[in-house]
Amino acid sequence: MVEMQMDELIDPNGAPRPLASAVMDLIARLGEDELRARQELAELDIQTMGITFTVYSDGQNIDRSWPFDIIPRIIEGSEWDRISLGLQQRLVALNRFIDDLYNDQRIIADGVFPADLLDQSVNYRPQLRGFSPKFGVWAHISGSDLVRDDDGEMYVLEDNLRVPSGVSYVVENRGVAKRAFAELFERQRIRPVDGYTDELNRLLTSLAPDGCDDPQIAVLTPGIFNSAYFEHSFLAERMGAELVEGADLVVGDDDFVYMKTIEGLERVDVIYRRIDDLFLDPDVFREDSLLGVPGLIRSWQAGKVALANAPGAGVADDKVVYAWVPDMIRYYLGEEPIVANVPTYRTMYEDERRHVIDNIGDLVLKPANESGGYGILIGSRATKDELDEAVRAIEADPRNWVAQPILSLSTVPTLVDEGVEGRHVDLRPFVLTGETSYVTPGGLTRVALRKDSLIVNSSQGGGSKDTWIVDGRYGSMYDSSPPDSPPRSSQSQSQSQTQRGEDG
């Protein structure tokens, strides 16, 4: 049961934590009316800029303004440095694991990872056996979800390695927060986040085929009806890359990829794809896909184009495989994990399955390959019929489920109808991995706007906050630049999906 939790800004005595004192003092001076006025201006900013997301409900697409709470979340810089190292460590191990699975499979031969788990993976692509992308990296862009328990420690809750979404909101949230609390940015040393697209551009450029020093980069989107189309267009615009759909591309007889333009075909060297594996290339995966490009995998394997993330990376984006990540770190790196996993029960094993079934009312049950908060059951809040149904689902397909304790997720003060109250949060930092690594300072803090709710996904009614990494050791790095003004022109998009939504 969730009874106690740590608040990120308020200590157990009700006083602001040291790093939060400036924020909480300002909120107290402003009073609730002025705070609500600033919140309304922030929401108007978001509407003006057309920052949207989509909720799928009963097969209908509901396009909404991005939900944003004006009160930031604050994390101390030295703590973040350790977490950042832990995330980089994690992604190095995960990429070695993926590369190993598609090649030698040493981790299976050595008895560290079970072969039958791989045999039953829905995201393993046997068509790619024997291939290794540049730098041996498959998951170039990842978003691992973190939560803080009541012991004050951050834990990795899950890894998103296929098409993690949300980084555009990290950047946009910062712009809105700077307009709302300009006086705080003048006094606080807050690490900037707007360098992400430069770092992404640098990573994608480094993936270009050998001899291509000035590559043409494209963002491949399923189109305007996809849940994350706002982000696709945002990233393409910020990087100066082309935003393309599958029908805009063709693979030539020379195996190079070309983009159709009014001036003829132009070669594309690097593709940041935001399409699921199975829709990428109808010649290799789903024959009925209209989203992909015939011959794309052939071109990639011939070294004529780079794909990020690499197809097949999703084999490690599996909530069952997640349970083995600490073992991967020890196996491939000979190190102990810097950031721990949440304890996880694997129902594929009889003893752990029995424990889950016997204690299901005290656990969170998750399907192996869903995203966006879909399919999650919180035992303490489920009805008897829902628990019985969950048990039947586990027994029918034990490989497809894991269970974790119900954590006392930390809270952050949030402006809600009742005033300023604590609401549960998680955090999704984004990690870029290639020849080197980059971690966003902070990430996307998602907040459950309903009291006591533990579901933070925007698709499930959650909102977001700006995340401030604050310290005094990086004098030239703090984010004191003025906010963008006026807001950019509207980019409002209507979205839905023909494939499952991105990992948002």
Side-chain angles (χ1 to χ4, degrees):
M1 294 292 291
V2 180
E3 295 177 346
M4 297 179 60
Q5 59 277 322
M6 171 187 168
D7 191 277
E8 305 265 348
L9 306 191
I10 307 295
D11 72 17
N13 298 317
R17 296 185 186 277
L19 281 174
S21 59
V23 171
M24 298 311 295
D25 288 350
L26 177 62
I27 289 173
R29 287 201 306 274
L30 293 176
E32 188 171 325
D33 288 346
E34 174 61 19
L35 191 63
R36 288 195 185 281
R38 294 195 183 196
Q39 174 73 34
E40 289 173 3
L41 286 173
E43 291 170 357
L44 183 61
D45 260 5
I46 288 169
Q47 291 178 22
T48 303
M49 292 190 290
I51 306 171
T52 62
F53 78 110
T54 299
V55 171
Y56 302 106
S57 176
D58 298 329
Q60 297 183 345
N61 306 326
I62 302 173
D63 197 21
R64 296 180 177 175
S65 292
W66 176 244
F68 174 77
D69 179 70
I70 195 172
I71 302 174
R73 186 233 197 105
I74 299 174
I75 299 172
E76 206 277 327
S78 60
E79 180 188 21
W80 186 252
D81 291 339
R82 185 184 67 81
I83 293 170
S84 180
L85 286 174
L87 292 173
Q88 292 176 66
Q89 176 196 54
R90 193 174 184 90
L91 264 298
V92 170
L94 279 164
N95 274 296
R96 291 192 187 179
F97 168 72
I98 299 168
D99 199 53
D100 189 16
L101 290 187
Y102 285 106
N103 289 281
D104 297 336
Q105 299 192 346
R106 290 186 297 112
I107 195 169
I108 293 175
D110 289 341
V112 177
F113 185 81
D116 55 345
L117 183 53
L118 180 62
D119 293 341
Q120 298 171 45
S121 170
V122 299
N123 289 313
Y124 184 68
R125 308 287 173 234
Q127 302 94 330
L128 308 181
R129 279 296 305 269
F131 182 74
S132 184
K134 194 171 184 178
F135 308 130
V137 173
W138 296 70
H140 306 95
I141 300 104
S142 62
S144 296
D145 292 340
L146 305 178
V147 293
R148 192 191 299 279
D149 200 4
D150 58 5
D151 61 2
E153 285 293 315
M154 285 273 202
Y155 296 88
V156 177
L157 186 64
E158 61 185 49
D159 300 294
N160 298 292
L161 306 179
R162 288 175 288 181
V163 280
S165 66
V167 73
S168 59
Y169 301 117
V170 175
V171 179
E172 296 284 33
N173 280 356
R174 175 59 53 86
V176 175
K178 289 171 81 171
R179 283 185 282 276
F181 285 144
E183 59 267 65
L184 291 176
F185 281 86
E186 293 173 353
R187 306 201 312 262
Q188 299 254 310
R189 296 185 182 276
I190 304 167
R191 299 189 192 180
V193 298
D194 57 3
Y196 176 82
T197 48
D198 288 340
E199 294 290 344
L200 177 60
N201 203 350
R202 190 171 296 118
L203 167 69
L204 295 175
T205 298
S206 75
L207 301 179
D210 293 341
C212 180
D213 298 326
D214 185 20
Q216 174 73 271
I217 299 173
V219 177
L220 177 59
T221 174
I224 62 172
F225 297 113
N226 183 266
S227 63
Y229 185 75
F230 169 79
E231 179 154 299
H232 304 164
S233 59
F234 172 92
L235 293 174
E237 176 191 339
R238 288 294 182 101
M239 290 193 295
E242 299 290 340
L243 181 64
V244 299
E245 299 181 25
D248 298 323
L249 301 177
V250 61
V251 178
D253 293 337
D254 56 3
D255 285 346
F256 285 107
V257 177
Y258 294 92
M259 177 174 56
K260 302 169 189 172
T261 77
I262 58 174
E263 297 175 345
L265 296 178
E266 292 184 13
R267 189 171 137 185
V268 174
D269 306 296
V270 181
I271 297 175
Y272 178 21
R273 55 98 173 190
R274 298 294 290 252
I275 294 178
D276 283 349
D277 284 359
L278 295 180
F279 295 89
L280 267 181
D281 182 348
D283 287 352
V284 177
F285 302 121
R286 285 185 56 156
E287 295 181 0
D288 61 343
S289 172
L290 300 177
L291 301 175
V293 185
L296 184 61
I297 297 300
R298 184 181 77 247
S299 176
W300 175 57
Q301 292 185 311
K304 302 297 181 68
V305 71
L307 296 179
N309 285 345
V315 66
D317 184 350
D318 178 317
K319 294 178 180 60
V320 183
V321 173
Y322 152 91
W324 270 268
V325 174
D327 293 328
M328 294 175 202
I329 293 171
R330 298 183 187 101
Y331 179 74
Y332 292 111
L333 308 182
E335 302 172 358
E336 284 300 310
I338 297 172
V339 182
N341 272 19
V342 174
T344 302
Y345 299 100
R346 305 156 294 187
T347 60
M348 59 185 287
Y349 294 129
E350 184 175 354
D351 56 339
E352 296 183 38
R353 180 166 67 251
R354 181 49 48 196
H355 176 84
V356 170
I357 291 174
D358 290 346
N359 298 278
I360 194 166
D362 298 322
L363 298 169
V364 177
L365 187 68
K366 297 180 174 181
N369 290 294
E370 280 290 0
S371 60
Y374 293 98
I376 291 177
L377 179 136
I378 299 175
S380 62
R381 301 180 183 186
T383 65
K384 184 177 185 306
D385 286 347
E386 289 170 334
L387 294 176
D388 290 343
E389 183 179 346
V391 170
R392 288 193 292 273
I394 292 170
E395 291 176 332
D397 187 6
R399 161 65 176 84
N400 191 48
W401 298 94
V402 295
Q404 296 171 325
I406 302 174
L407 302 181
S408 297
L409 302 187
S410 62
T411 61
V412 174
T414 302
L415 184 60
V416 294
D417 290 345
E418 296 80 6
V420 176
E421 295 187 349
R423 292 291 185 269
H424 295 294
V425 294
D426 78 351
L427 179 65
R428 175 174 293 180
F430 292 85
V431 184
L432 302 179
T433 309
E435 195 170 18
T436 59
S437 295
Y438 166 83
V439 183
T440 51
L444 179 64
T445 288
R446 302 181 298 181
V447 54
L449 296 177
R450 289 191 291 271
K451 188 173 185 177
D452 295 333
S453 174
L454 298 173
I455 304 296
V456 299
N457 307 75
S458 56
S459 56
Q460 307 289 318
S464 70
K465 289 173 169 289
D466 193 19
T467 309
W468 296 0
I469 305 300
V470 177
D471 67 22
R473 294 184 300 133
Y474 294 81
S476 62
M477 290 179 60
Y478 64 92
D479 194 348
S480 61
S481 60
D484 295 336
S485 181
R488 295 182 298 110
S489 59
S490 173
Q491 298 180 14
S492 181
Q493 306 292 347
S494 176
Q495 305 155 8
S496 69
Q497 59 181 12
T498 53
Q499 55 179 357
R500 196 55 158 165
E502 296 195 1
D503 298 329

